[in-house]
Amino acid sequence: MTTRRDFIRTSGFLVVSASALPLELVAAQAAGPYPDPDFRQLDSWIVIRQDDTATFFVGKTDLGQGTGTAFRQIMADELDMPYEATSCVMGTTDVTVDQGGSGGSDALQTDGYPMRRVAAEARRVLLDMGSQRLGVPVGQLTVSGGVVSVTGDPSKRVTYGELIGGRRFNVTLTGANTDATTGVAKLKTTQELKIVGQSPQRYDIPPKVDGTAKWAVDAKVPGMVHARNVKPPIAGAKLVSVDESSVKGIPGFLRVVTRGNYVAVICEREEQAIRAARQVKVNWEKPAAAPFPSSENLFTYMRSATPTFSAPPVATGNAETAIAAAAKVVEADYEVPFQGHVSLGPAHALADPSNDQLTIYSNDMKSYGLRNGVAEFLKIPRDRVRVIWLEGSQAYGRTAADDAGFEAAFLAKEIGRPVRVQWMRNEETAWDTKGPAYTIKMRGGLDAQGNLVAYDYDARAADHNHLGYNEFDTVLIAQLANQRKAQPARGGAATPSDMYVVPNRRMAVHVVGLPLVWETPLRTGNLRDPNGPQVTFASESFIDEVAAAAGADPVQFRLKLLTASTADDSGFKRARSIAVVKAAADAFRWDTRPSPKKRDSGNILTGRGIAYAYRNQTVVAQIAEVEVNRRTGRVWVKRFVIAHDCGLIVNPEGLKRVVEGGTLHTLSRALHEETRFDTEKVTSVDWTSYPTLTHADTPERIDVVLVNGDPNPNRPDLPHYGAGETVCKPTMAAVANAIFDATGVRLRRVPFRDARVLAALKAANV
Amino acid sequence: MANFTLRVNGRAQTVDVDPATPLLYVLRNDLDLHGPRFGCGLGQCGACTVIVNGNTVRSCVQPVSQVRGEITTLEGLSANGTLHPIQQAWIDEQVPQCGYCQNGQIMTAKALLDRNPNPTDAQIRQGMAGTLCRCMTYYRIHAAIKRAATLRLASLPQGRPEGPSRDEVQS
């Protein structure tokens, strides 16, 4: 048996690279089994070689936001090694500890700490070893750049590689779980960190632009064959029969595999499998009842449906009484449709059943969950399954329910050969997991002085049976193969996460279900801040509507609601919110006045809008400057200013790009994206029927203002909070508010496609 | 099945495949060139883009039997270990997020700059319009195209000095 240790020792590749294990080495590696790396052993996290290089093994994945680079920065900093001498291996279940993979923007906020602690512990141990080697107490040693030397006598020195290279630390760590992993060393203070706060370039970018990167789609092993799925043509249809003779003549055809309503074809070559999947004659039985209303009737349906779940309202004061007594009442209904992940690279995986084990090559962001789920789904012992994580296409929650990984594993076990499966475009766009649709009713009351004294939020999310994290009984193949769990997941709906102070506030949420609960393409999952854009579209549009009703400037109105105080925790959050809103307004050179502005005379109407959000300690304020074409209805965001505070920033240049990407992703959802369906099937099946943001929509200018502002100089510096998802919250509202400022027309239904905007302008005689 | 000889990145290679096979699968599965990637199979997104005789071709809808001339893939852009100025600009601007689409972005940008060495903003938007990115890195792509244009012009005898990056312009 080849151990992980042998593998690391022999694989020089790791020294100079890379985000992932080299495929050929892995394929040639261990025949299994694959026990879990022990997170309580320092050697599971860090390997230092005789050539003074180090590799970090972390149980996270990088979805393209540069988290791998950030992990190297924080660990190299604690370890006192040059960043350039380090590399990082992520998310591969038999060589990296289980940190759960990625999700929730928690990579640095939560998982960064065990990474820092184990690196600090390694430094402590190396200093002890250096003390013995050099014959002086630790207190008289200096460590820098992976070299331990006697303070004041740099000629007496020894490198980390000389101290430990090629040998094990054999240091046991403590902690109840991976997140709590720790040694006895203390972390550095923020002031002592040197690599954190710099912007080394992402190590994964050069191979991605010269074509040498190894992606999960590139995984290939000897004897591999290709599979394609055949999806039910109508949601909820039952498989009656397959006419295998319809594809027997296709060169390379191997088999049609069915299980329940799951159908796949397998051929020797990829193009053969694609042809067979199109050509195979399958007899389906149409369901008796319509699986869902059409997308045109979705919101009517959602408002009239009996909720499957209602949470007890969150209330302060008495909103109802205060609205009744208010000088002015504002009411509005907001709607956000289902929107897809619509990953550019459809779902894919390769499963290899060689040696009576199962190796899955996957871009699953939660590779550990895939491993556990597949083991349960196929009833294989966990230690015979491993997932090798490789780079993949945009996965902002999509691969948390990694259908293709399960399908490849199932098919490989079924035919006893390595099987690569990839979804086609129409499957991915129609059947991927969706962000839940929302209808939100909001009411507010202003007193005679224009203060917001009452606030009522009532939301319905079409989120019944929200998918979990690679649970073996919820992924699509489990549903189609009738191996699903008995009870659907409850699902959820969220409330606004602002820090506004309103004396009477009530927030209620409900979940509704569609008629077809299982085997449906309208499956909800976690789409980049799963409820944030929808909720914040309503809440931050509404604050703007109330400000307009009060005749107040939108920034000033928000600042008034964020009455600052640092006396308690929520006061501290409000103070940080104020700092961020002000930073955005200052950078934009916001002129204080109510919205809407006096309308421009030409065809192009211009305006600006702000929205702000708080998520899990991270604060964002966005200002959009728009041009609305009065003749065509086209909306172009010419400029964004985004102020962002996620505490201590590890890599400012990397963070800026994450903030830009998240903003434009949500701009795409604001302007274009809507999953359309009739009463039988999803009709959004490609890039024409599911349009997204294009180069032509790109803003002329984006200014990201990194605040990292603790407004209280007496506090210690803020820790590293998460980034990536908070920025998705305010964009839809910022754009809607800017459109209102430009035109005086309020859009309460996403997306703001040209035809919808034009109709709204015409209805208002703009 | 039939034999086809393709000239890819300066080398002639013969494959034995069905004539209707899209070029994409031949490049990826037979020639192990993984720069072009499957995105839609419909010629809509651009992830599979290669350059044939100077023009961009969506290899996912191009039957191998109809390909004539010199094919360049992402792997063929660099020469003698030196990155093409467009690739260098992509690194300098740190363009990609996930990077899955970037093959199409880079190859489309190359064809654009070969046609028009100094494109305006509007020409970049127009020229790149059909190449989709789901991480929405468009803003950085535009900066990288301008940077690459500057790098290439600067390398000419009568070239202009290198311009500031997008960030420097903004601050």
Side-chain angles (χ1 to χ4, degrees), chain A residues 593-624:
Chain A
R593 58 167 176 77
S595 285
K597 69 183 261 205
K598 184 173 176 297
R599 201 177 294 146
D600 301 319
S601 55
N603 283 338
I604 301 297
L605 308 179
T606 62
R608 87 290 204 252
I610 186 168
Y612 129 90
Y614 206 104
R615 181 190 201 265
N616 200 7
Q617 302 298 342
T618 294
V619 200
V620 175
Q622 278 180 339
I623 298 173

Side-chain angles (χ1 to χ4, degrees), chain A residues 26-41:
Chain A
V26 169
Q29 195 219 347
Y34 312 109
D36 296 0
D38 181 359
F39 68 87
R40 293 195 188 89
Q41 282 299 317

